[in-house]
Amino acid sequence: MDLQLFAGEKTERATPKKRNEARKKGQVAHSQEIVTSIALVVCISLFMLLGSFFWNRIVAMFSDVLLHRLTMDVTSGNVTEMFGRYAMQMLIVLSPIFIAAIVVAFAANYFQFGWLFTTEPIKFKLQPLNPINGFKRMFSSRSLVELLKSTLKLLAVSLVLYFVLWSERDRVMALAHVPIQDIFSFTGDLTIRVSLLVGVLLFAMAVGDYYYQKYSYEKSLRMSKQDIKDEYKNAEGDPKVKAKIRERQRRMAIMRMMQEVPKADVIITNPTHFAVALQYDGSKMDAPRVVAKGQDFLALRIREVAKANNVVTMENKPLARALYDRTEIGETIPADLFQAVAEVLAYVYRLKGGRR
């Protein structure tokens, strides 16, 4: 019972097959916090670099309204044209932000888990609608970790905002005595500075979140020893079935080999442990060929078949052992054994009263 429980524990790393299956389902180790934090830093940096571009475009839009649109005839065509024009100008203004966000999202995800396209996560499934599963997710360890992450992010943003505002408290109190343009300038600079600090801090937290997600992902993919055995059976076939197939193939090979024994010219034996059947036809072969060989019980069967078919059996311990070790069925004998085999064949042919 203890061994069964141990075999069922998921203590083994996931196999490549299971990793590939999980990847096809969209299950990969990634942190959305990295994407969000990098996108925030990049967008704020764009605001700093393209500030004059955004300012000129926005001022031009409001100027056009005040200078040219106040005396415009309010008709369906004029209103449609005006909103279409402003929508296009807003799209131009926001296009760098949209493009940067899309590029950052693709790049951040690519560096986390590479290229992956799957529709599995967006398929409709009834399981997530199960209230029991939803209740379990609410009180799971993952939900607790997400709550802790949200709390840490809120605390980090609050601390950054507090320290930045506290360091600028004198200038904030003096805003009541400066022109409106200076107020907007100060507010914009302060917002950009706070956003950059928050983005950098969130990115540092996101790196830690990524390693946690990777650990959690590896843990979810762990397999038990029994799972690995079952996967191997499904991929390679049941070892018992494969063993039976090999045994059947071996028996068929032995049967084919035994059919060649009556065609042999001589059986060289050990005399009991080894038996090698040789065949030679000078008109077709360059050298004698091994048509059958066996050890112990198989050697006994070869001798029995040879006796039943009047094939000459000769005892030569060194030659039988050398032929058994150095040749395979269907191969010609080694060159250094030509002389010994030739003497055996010559003796056999004399016994048969023939000439070769």
Side-chain angles (χ1 to χ4, degrees):
M1 182 66 181
D2 294 338
L3 292 176
Q4 292 179 354
L5 289 175
F6 178 75
E9 292 181 356
K10 297 184 180 297
T11 56
E12 307 300 317
R13 290 176 59 86
T15 60
K17 182 175 182 295
K18 185 169 184 179
R19 292 180 184 276
N20 290 333
E21 291 177 351
R23 185 177 178 83
K24 291 178 181 178
K25 296 178 181 178
Q27 300 174 1
V28 290
H30 75 289
S31 173
Q32 189 61 34
E33 306 297 332
I34 288 184
V35 180
T36 305
S37 59
I38 295 179
L40 177 60
V41 172
V42 170
C43 290
I44 296 302
S45 301
L46 282 177
F47 274 115
M48 296 174 63
L49 295 174
L50 304 177
S52 59
F53 168 78
F54 294 137
W55 175 257
N56 293 334
R57 288 285 180 174
I58 294 174
V59 169
M61 288 175 56
F62 283 99
S63 299
D64 182 68
V65 172
L66 297 175
L67 295 175
H68 304 103
R69 302 296 179 177
L70 294 179
T71 59
M72 180 186 70
D73 294 333
V74 182
T75 63
S76 177
N78 289 339
V79 171
T80 303
E81 186 272 335
M82 181 183 68
F83 277 105
R85 184 175 180 180
Y86 291 158
M88 183 58 65
Q89 291 182 7
M90 286 299 298
L91 183 61
I92 294 174
V93 171
L94 297 176
S95 59
I97 305 299
F98 291 154
I99 294 173
I102 294 173
V103 171
V104 165
F106 274 102
N109 285 319
Y110 178 80
F111 281 110
Q112 289 185 79
F113 51 82
W115 171 253
L116 176 62
F117 178 78
T118 178
T119 58
E120 189 70 24
I122 62 176
K123 289 183 178 179
F124 179 75
K125 299 177 183 178
L126 294 176
Q127 186 176 2
L129 301 178
N130 190 338
I132 297 178
N133 293 337
F135 185 78
K136 290 180 180 179
R137 287 194 298 268
M138 288 177 59
F139 296 94
S140 63
S141 59
R142 188 177 186 85
S143 298
L144 181 61
V145 171
E146 294 297 327
L147 176 62
L148 180 61
K149 283 165 46 180
S150 300
T151 304
L152 288 176
K153 286 193 293 184
L154 181 61
L155 180 61
V157 172
S158 300
L159 289 175
V160 169
L161 186 60
Y162 171 77
F163 284 116
V164 171
L165 290 178
W166 183 255
S167 64
E168 298 288 343
R169 61 186 182 279
D170 295 333
R171 295 184 62 184
V172 172
M173 297 300 295
L175 290 178
H177 307 287
V178 298
I180 187 67
Q181 186 174 357
D182 293 342
I183 294 177
F184 280 121
S185 177
F186 172 77
T187 304
D189 293 339
L190 188 63
T191 303
I192 289 177
R193 197 194 325 166
V194 170
S195 300
L196 277 177
L197 290 174
V198 169
V200 172
L201 184 60
L202 291 180
F203 177 75
M205 297 175 63
V207 172
D209 178 64
Y210 170 74
Y211 283 104
Y212 167 76
Q213 296 294 342
K214 192 171 183 179
Y215 165 78
S216 179
Y217 173 74
E218 292 292 336
K219 185 177 180 181
S220 67
L221 289 182
R222 284 180 185 172
M223 305 172 67
S224 63
K225 296 182 182 296
Q226 187 61 41
D227 292 336
I228 296 177
K229 291 180 180 179
D230 294 340
E231 182 183 291
Y232 176 78
K233 288 181 180 179
N234 294 330
E236 303 293 336
D238 194 330
K240 294 181 180 179
V241 175
K242 293 177 68 176
K244 290 181 179 179
I245 293 175
R246 287 194 296 268
E247 178 63 22
R248 181 172 297 180
Q249 292 174 341
R250 189 179 70 85
R251 290 182 180 179
M252 293 178 65
I254 292 174
M255 290 177 61
R256 289 193 298 269
M257 183 182 71
M258 288 301 179
Q259 293 174 359
E260 298 294 324
V261 173
K263 303 176 184 178
D265 292 310
V266 63
I267 309 297
I268 301 176
T269 64
N270 193 23
T272 56
H273 295 294
F274 299 97
V276 181
L278 299 179
Q279 183 187 25
Y280 180 63
D281 186 347
S283 61
K284 299 179 181 179
M285 303 177 186
D286 295 331
R289 181 168 58 93
V290 177
V291 295
K293 71 174 187 176
Q295 184 179 2
D296 297 333
F297 175 76
L298 192 55
L300 176 62
R301 289 285 300 131
I302 291 174
R303 293 198 303 272
E304 291 175 351
V305 173
K307 183 178 181 180
N309 290 273
N310 297 320
V311 179
V312 177
T313 300
M314 289 191 61
E315 178 182 341
N316 189 327
K317 295 181 181 180
L319 182 58
R321 184 60 184 263
L323 289 171
Y324 184 88
D325 291 338
R326 297 174 57 187
T327 59
E328 297 295 334
I329 297 173
E331 294 181 354
T332 57
I333 64 174
D336 57 329
L337 298 180
F338 281 178
Q339 180 65 32
V341 172
E343 293 177 358
V344 171
L345 290 175
Y347 176 76
V348 171
Y349 296 148
R350 286 197 298 272
L351 288 179
K352 292 181 177 182
R355 293 175 177 272
R356 301 259 179 137

